[in-house]
Amino acid sequence: MKKALCTLSLLLPLALFAGPVEVGQPLPALTLKDQHDKAWQIEADTKLVLFAAGRKASNLALAVLSTQPKDFLPQRHSVYLADLSRMPGFVTRTFALPSLREQPFRVGVSLDERVLADWPAQSDAVLLIDLEQGKVSRIRSAATEAELRAALGLQP
């Protein structure tokens, strides 16, 4: 019995890591925290995931989203996910998280590099993962403010 419990306890953390993101497949479930350390997940009715996996991508997302009303993302059934795992802990705690806490919208935050290891990532572009009924229908990227604004249906 102890051996079985020990084996199970070793496998449980693996369930927290998201699988690969592939067109035609369900988006892997994520259980993360937001910038305020509250539970965050991608809801079933989500249509778009904005994913920033690097500083330049995050700055791009913030440049566009910070100028929008507080309910901009929820109204569009969209969420913003930032992978901060590659950042040194000191930088994350001292600069990145405080900056995100100032934003009027929620941001899902990954601090563990294993959680999103199988997700497509571009450090210099925001990935836009389109969903239809929980399945990935398209993956595209935006490397400029103009591209991101256009992808979000905003004026240039």
Side-chain angles (χ1 to χ4, degrees), residues 28-81:
L30 287 174
T31 302
L32 297 171
K33 302 264 180 154
D34 70 6
Q35 74 268 39
H36 302 290
D37 205 33
K38 294 184 180 171
W40 182 93
Q41 63 184 20
I42 298 172
E43 301 294 335
D45 66 343
T46 301
K47 297 188 184 312
L48 178 66
V49 176
L50 288 84
F51 176 49
R55 182 177 179 185
K56 187 173 179 184
S58 183
N59 288 343
L60 172 60
L62 292 176
V64 173
L65 295 175
S66 65
T67 62
Q68 302 307 311
K70 181 180 181 175
D71 57 352
F72 177 79
L73 289 172
Q75 280 184 346
R76 287 166 174 72
H77 300 280
S78 300
V79 295
Y80 174 43
L81 171 61

Side-chain angles (χ1 to χ4, degrees), residues 20 22 36 39 43 59 63 74 83 85 116 121 152:
E22 298 173 354
H36 302 290
E43 301 294 335
N59 288 343
D83 183 357
S85 67
L116 301 171
L152 295 172

Side-chain angles (χ1 to χ4, degrees), residues 83-112:
D83 183 357
L84 305 181
S85 67
R86 292 180 191 95
M87 215 178 265
F90 173 77
V91 175
T92 301
R93 289 185 308 277
T94 307
F95 302 105
L97 286 173
S99 174
L100 289 177
R101 288 184 188 118
E102 294 175 5
Q103 301 306 316
F105 50 87
R106 292 185 73 200
V107 180
V109 176
S110 176
L111 299 174
D112 184 338

